[in-house]
């Protein structure tokens, strides 16, 4: 069980305390955090985060395979989580949507993050 995050901020529980997440919800919050945090920006945890933000620096032909690699390395520390598919959808202006389809404890999960 961990504290619930939304857009990088802790979520209040309505009683002045902090909301806690567990199970599938906690996993999805960790996955979103790992995919949106820039890898290398946490001095004491250099392997935390992803390199998805670097996709725009690659040629169009390289982006899909790089997105797959970046998602896999960002989520590797999550025990029991298998990345089944990564889909990259370019939205123009240097922006893209990356969708990761995963399996955890026999449950299918999917998250989408915006990358610029």
């Amino acid at each position: 069980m961990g504290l619930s995050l939304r857009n990088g901020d802790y979520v209040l529980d309505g009683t002045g305390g902090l909301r806690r997440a567990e199970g599938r919800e906690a996993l999805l919050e960790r996955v979103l955090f790992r995919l949106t945090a820039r890898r290398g920006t946490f001095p004491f945890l250099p392997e935390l985060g992803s390199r998805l933000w670097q996709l725009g620096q690659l040629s169009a032909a390289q982006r899909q395979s790089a997105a797959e690699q970046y998602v896999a390395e960002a989520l590797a520390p999550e025990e029991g989580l298998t990345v089944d598919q990564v889909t990259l959808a370019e939205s123009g202006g240097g922006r893209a949507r990356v969708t990761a389809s995963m399996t955890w404890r026999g449950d299918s999960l999917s998250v989408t993050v915006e990358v610029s």
Side-chain angles (χ1 to χ4, degrees):
M1 181 164 30
L3 296 174
S4 186
L5 288 171
R6 183 169 300 126
N7 298 324
D9 294 323
Y10 291 111
V11 179
L12 298 176
D13 66 2
T15 65
L18 298 175
R19 186 173 173 276
R20 297 201 174 272
E22 55 187 67
R24 177 186 167 131
E25 181 184 4
L27 173 72
L28 287 172
E29 288 184 6
R30 287 193 311 272
V31 164
L32 286 169
F33 182 76
R34 287 182 183 281
L35 292 178
T36 56
R38 287 187 173 200
R39 190 178 195 92
T41 58
F42 298 94
F44 299 106
L45 298 169
E47 301 300 314
L48 178 65
S50 78
R51 295 187 293 154
L52 288 171
W53 62 274
Q54 295 177 331
L55 289 175
Q57 300 169 7
L58 303 173
S59 71
Q62 297 174 306
R63 290 183 193 139
Q64 177 62 43
S65 63
E68 293 168 3
Q69 176 187 341
Y70 297 165
V71 168
E73 73 184 20
L75 301 182
E78 290 295 338
E79 290 185 32
L81 182 70
T82 303
V83 178
D84 301 318
Q85 183 178 12
V86 175
T87 306
L88 175 66
E90 307 270 348
S91 32
R95 300 188 59 81
R97 283 192 335 268
V98 176
T99 301
S101 300
M102 305 155 291
T103 305
W104 180 68
R105 297 183 179 172
D107 198 8
S108 294
L109 310 168
S110 180
V111 296
T112 300
V113 295
E114 293 283 331
V115 180
S116 56

